[in-house]
Amino acid sequence: MVTAVTNLGRSGLYDWLVQRVTGLILLVYFLCLAGFILGNPGMDYEVWKGFFAHTASRVLGTAAVLSLAMHAWIGLWCTLTDYVTPRMMGAKANLLRGLLSALCGITVFTYVVWGLQIIWGVQ
């Protein structure tokens, strides 16, 4: 049985809504990137760097990185709770699920820090 502690006490509806909102933010971000790339066919490094030096680009990039992290975390949590179960993995399933959740959490956190350093490090 999966407890409410695992998903921070939120409901399935909350997770579903977060998945949709973060997916929409990611769609907007990637459409903006695609529009910028298609709108600048002769783009060089300075144009690319200038795009990411704008505050609006950084804010949208930050929202995209955080959205990706939330989206990934909920997806990974759902997958782990669906497939790493005592029925399928035996008595050690809760320990394995906890270890895998910790590994996923550390990985997602690392990618968030790295992404924010990249986005806000452009001069």
Side-chain angles (χ1 to χ4, degrees):
M1 180 174 179
V2 178
T3 63
V5 174
T6 309
N7 70 349
L8 304 175
R10 302 288 199 252
S11 67
L13 178 61
Y14 176 83
D15 290 344
W16 181 86
L17 185 61
V18 169
Q19 285 286 89
R20 276 33 183 200
V21 170
T22 57
L24 185 61
I25 291 169
L26 290 169
L27 176 65
V28 168
Y29 180 71
F30 289 113
L31 287 176
C32 287
L33 276 181
F36 178 74
I37 291 169
L38 294 174
N40 293 292
M43 183 173 27
D44 60 357
Y45 175 74
E46 291 303 319
V47 173
W48 184 254
K49 183 179 168 184
F51 174 74
F52 284 101
H54 286 274
T55 303
S57 178
R58 289 179 176 185
V59 169
L60 187 56
T62 299
V65 167
L66 296 176
S67 293
L68 184 62
M70 293 171 64
H71 198 90
W73 176 253
I74 292 172
L76 290 167
W77 180 85
C78 290
T79 302
L80 288 173
T81 56
D82 284 348
Y83 293 104
V84 183
T85 63
R87 186 175 56 125
M88 300 179 90
M89 306 299 253
K92 305 270 186 196
N94 289 334
L95 176 63
L96 179 60
R97 186 171 48 226
L99 290 173
L100 290 172
S101 292
L103 179 64
C104 290
I106 291 168
T107 302
V108 168
F109 177 76
T110 302
Y111 286 148
V112 166
V113 171
W114 189 19
L116 294 177
Q117 284 179 336
I118 291 169
I119 290 169
W120 290 94
V122 175
Q123 299 298 330

